[in-house]
């Protein structure tokens, strides 16, 4: 089956794509949805002084606000209605997924299939509303604390800001779900991808401008280009890497005929978690800065000021925590999305087994052993790809959009989307072959 799929994939051409009407509709819907998102990042929040806000943002763009702005597709820089982006939804997803591992009721819901998944998704939406409200209120207080940023400070501005920013986040959450169901690829990942990709041309132009003015040497710019190309190549290689476990099925007798046992493979990705650990780690590190926005002009305690300063982008503590959180979420998310026990039970149910390993619990232990080892390699790869370029950026002042996290998201989402497009084309070609075989069978019957 796998070899047939690979042969079909190699035979895909433009004519196959031209006949895939459903795929073209999905692509157009995805592009239209992302265009709506990009338009929303340019609609400003009402009640602000654009010049005063631009001056305030310029002084903080190299820190935590720069990260916010990168994930929000430039909406923070313009303080647009999508300034919160999709991060409250991601933070709520982290919390709910953590709770499914420790709360028995949620763990039971997770095992109930599609119905349980719908209930968990609903809890995630409730969490998004709560976190989005808190973060939007913190942004409103922070804007009021700036000199001349808000034209008319007060509760009316705070309430309108909360409603506007929360509405923007909920709209993006809905838009992402629509892309997933009616378009191509994962909608939430594509929204983040679109925001980062939109900032790449500006980041490249800014880097070249720094080289023209002498702020960066030509050798350093060439080094950054080489590092970026090497990181992209590494991402493509690792994201496609698999550890394939051989699965055998016993011989079976049907009537008087004996059929040879089949063989297949259980593919285990080297990086099962994908881009989720980097996104989760970034969103968690953004929370303390959001909480600091609630204080407004009030002075923070000394310990709180120290923590906020330590979590600024480029600080050694930030880099250490960032790498540790990426490694943790690499293991955590892999454990959520892949259950060796369920896989072993399914193999046993269908008569499959790994050569030399007893079916059942021993198979589950072996799969878990292999998965743990390759996840350790995947975690090291993620930390290397995300943290090393960030250190280079912190020391040179290169825009954040050229960092390891942004490159990982852009390349990984591109690979996943292309794989889904190829899957649709293969399905289209399968349907064509089935129709042809039925037509031939009908003609022979006549």
């Amino acid at each position: 089956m796998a070899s047939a799929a690979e042969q079909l994939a190699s035979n895909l051409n433009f004519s196959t794509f031209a006949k895939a009407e459903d795929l073209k509709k999905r692509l157009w819907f995805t592009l239209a949805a992302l265009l709506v998102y990009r338009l929303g990042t340019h609609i400003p929040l009402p009640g602000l002084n654009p010049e005063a806000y631009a001056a305030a943002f310029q002084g903080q763009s190299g820190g935590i606000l720069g990260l916010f702005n990168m994930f929000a597709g430039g909406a923070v820089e313009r303080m647009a209605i999508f300034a919160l982006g999709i991060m409250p939804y991601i933070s709520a997803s982290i919390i709910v997924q953590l709770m499914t591992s420790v709360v028995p009721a949620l763990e039971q819901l997770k095992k109930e299939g599609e119905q349980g998944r719908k209930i968990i998704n609903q809890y995630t939406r409730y969490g998004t509303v709560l976190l989005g409200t808190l973060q939007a209120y913190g942004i409103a207080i922070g804007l009021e604390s700036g000199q001349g940023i808000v034209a008319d400070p007060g509760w009316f501005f705070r309430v309108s800001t909360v409603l506007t920013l929360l509405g923007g986040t909920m709209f993006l959450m809905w838009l992402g779900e629509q892309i997933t169901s009616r378009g191509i690829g994962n909608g939430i990942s594509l929204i983040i991808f679109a925001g980062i990709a939109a900032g790449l041309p500006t980041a490249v132009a800014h880097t070249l401008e720094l080289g023209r003015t002498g702020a960066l040497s030509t050798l350093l710019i060439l080094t950054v280009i080489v590092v970026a190309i090497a990181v992209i190549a590494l991402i493509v290689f690792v994201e496609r890497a698999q550890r394939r476990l051989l699965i055998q099925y016993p011989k079976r007798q049907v009537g008087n005929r004996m059929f040879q046992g089949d063989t297949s493979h259980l593919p285990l990705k080297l990086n099962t978690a994908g881009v989720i650990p980097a996104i989760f780690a970034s969103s968690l590190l953004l929370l303390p800065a959001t909480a600091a926005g609630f204080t407004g002009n009030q002075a923070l305690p000394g310990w709180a000021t120290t923590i906020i300063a330590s979590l600024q982008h480029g600080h050694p503590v930030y880099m250490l925590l960032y790498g540790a959180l990426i490694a943790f979420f690499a293991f955590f998310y892999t454990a959520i999305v892949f259950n060796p026990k369920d896989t072993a039970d399914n193999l046993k149910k269908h008569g499959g087994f790994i050569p030399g390993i007893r079916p059942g619990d021993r198979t589950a232990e072996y799969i878990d052993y292999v998965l743990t080892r390759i996840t350790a390699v995947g975690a090291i790869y993620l930390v290397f790809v995300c943290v090393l370029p960030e250190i280079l950026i912190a020391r040179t002042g290169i825009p954040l959009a050229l960092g390891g996290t942004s490159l990982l998201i852009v390349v990984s989402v591109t690979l996943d989307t292309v794989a889904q497009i190829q899957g649709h084309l293969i399905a289209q070609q399968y349907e064509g072959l089935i129709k042809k075989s039925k037509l031939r069978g009908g003609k022979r019957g006549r």
Side-chain angles (χ1 to χ4, degrees):
M1 188 72 177
S3 60
E6 290 173 359
Q7 185 177 0
L8 277 174
S10 64
N11 293 333
L12 295 177
N13 50 37
F14 183 77
S15 63
T16 307
F17 176 79
K19 296 176 183 177
E21 295 296 331
D22 180 66
L23 175 60
K24 287 190 286 187
K25 290 179 181 178
R26 287 177 172 272
L27 286 173
W28 281 116
F29 179 84
T30 302
L31 291 175
L34 294 178
L35 178 61
V36 170
Y37 161 63
R38 290 304 304 157
L39 289 175
T41 60
H42 289 81
I43 301 175
L45 195 69
L48 297 182
N49 183 336
E51 291 78 12
Y53 176 76
F57 178 84
Q58 194 64 30
Q60 301 291 330
S61 60
I64 211 73
L65 280 182
L67 279 177
F68 265 121
N69 191 53
M70 183 185 73
F71 284 118
V76 176
E77 182 179 4
R78 295 179 285 272
M79 193 44 67
I81 59 174
F82 290 162
L84 272 184
I86 205 69
M87 283 304 161
Y89 176 78
I90 294 174
S91 300
S93 300
I94 297 172
I95 296 171
V96 171
Q97 288 180 1
L98 283 170
M99 291 177 66
T100 55
S101 302
V102 296
V103 178
L106 290 177
E107 188 176 4
Q108 184 61 33
L109 280 175
K110 183 182 175 183
K111 296 179 180 179
E112 291 181 2
E114 183 66 20
Q115 188 62 31
R117 187 182 65 83
K118 288 181 179 179
I119 298 175
I120 291 176
N121 287 342
Q122 195 64 28
Y123 289 155
T124 304
R125 295 187 184 99
Y126 294 149
T128 303
V129 173
L130 177 61
L131 290 178
T133 301
L134 293 174
Q135 292 184 18
Y137 184 75
I139 290 175
I141 297 296
L143 290 173
E144 286 187 341
S145 67
Q147 186 66 33
I149 295 178
V150 179
D152 187 17
W155 277 106
F156 180 79
F157 171 77
R158 296 175 192 175
V159 172
S160 64
T161 298
V162 169
L163 292 177
T164 303
L165 293 180
L166 179 61
T169 293
M170 299 307 294
F171 177 78
L172 288 181
M173 183 183 71
W174 174 83
L175 190 65
E177 292 175 351
Q178 294 302 307
I179 293 174
T180 302
S181 61
R182 301 172 59 185
I184 286 289
N186 181 283
I188 302 299
S189 298
L190 280 172
I191 287 175
I192 298 175
F193 163 85
I196 295 174
L200 287 176
T202 303
V204 172
H206 181 62
T207 302
L208 295 177
E209 180 64 19
L210 290 176
R212 189 185 67 82
T213 58
L216 294 178
S217 65
T218 304
L219 179 61
L220 183 57
I221 293 178
L222 291 175
T223 302
V224 170
I225 294 174
V226 171
V227 169
I229 295 174
V231 168
I232 291 173
L234 178 63
I235 293 171
V236 172
F237 175 77
V238 175
E239 293 300 322
R240 297 174 66 92
Q242 293 179 347
R243 171 73 160 86
R244 307 179 80 183
L245 299 180
L246 179 64
I247 305 296
Q248 287 188 344
Y249 294 90
K251 296 180 180 179
R252 53 194 178 92
Q253 184 173 358
V254 179
N256 295 325
R257 298 184 61 183
M258 180 68 69
F259 290 88
Q260 184 68 30
D262 295 329
T263 61
S264 64
H265 291 89
L266 175 64
L268 300 177
K269 288 189 65 176
L270 190 61
N271 178 29
T272 305
V275 302
I276 297 299
I279 297 175
F280 279 9
S282 300
S283 61
L284 280 185
L285 289 175
L286 291 175
L287 289 179
T290 303
F294 285 97
T295 61
N297 289 319
Q298 300 176 12
L300 290 171
W303 60 268
T305 304
T306 303
I307 291 176
I308 297 299
S310 299
L311 293 180
Q312 290 295 313
H313 185 266
H315 194 281
V317 175
Y318 171 87
M319 294 298 185
L320 184 63
L321 285 176
Y322 186 45
L325 284 173
I326 288 174
F328 167 76
F329 281 120
F331 283 94
F332 172 74
Y333 196 74
T334 299
I336 288 178
V337 300
F338 191 95
N339 191 329
K341 177 65 176 174
D342 292 344
T343 304
D345 290 341
N346 289 332
L347 287 175
K348 185 177 181 180
K349 186 185 302 182
H350 293 89
F353 64 94
I354 299 175
I357 307 296
R358 185 177 302 171
D361 292 338
R362 292 301 300 273
T363 298
E365 293 173 1
Y366 177 74
I367 294 175
D368 183 62
Y369 168 73
V370 174
L371 187 64
T372 301
R373 290 202 306 171
I374 64 175
T375 302
V377 177
I380 294 172
Y381 143 77
L382 284 175
V383 173
F384 176 80
V385 166
C386 293
V387 175
L388 184 64
E390 301 294 331
I391 295 174
L392 182 62
I393 287 174
R395 294 189 176 273
T396 60
I398 294 172
L400 290 172
L402 296 177
T405 306
S406 56
L407 290 179
L408 174 66
I409 294 173
V410 169
V411 177
S412 298
V413 173
T414 301
L415 290 175
D416 291 341
T417 306
V418 170
Q420 286 203 25
I421 292 174
Q422 191 176 45
H424 277 276
L425 292 176
I426 291 175
Q428 174 77 16
Q429 203 161 21
Y430 264 126
E431 291 177 2
L433 292 175
I434 292 173
K435 288 180 181 178
K436 287 181 180 179
S437 63
K438 287 183 178 179
L439 289 173
R440 289 173 182 172
K443 290 179 179 179
R444 290 174 182 172
R446 292 176 185 175

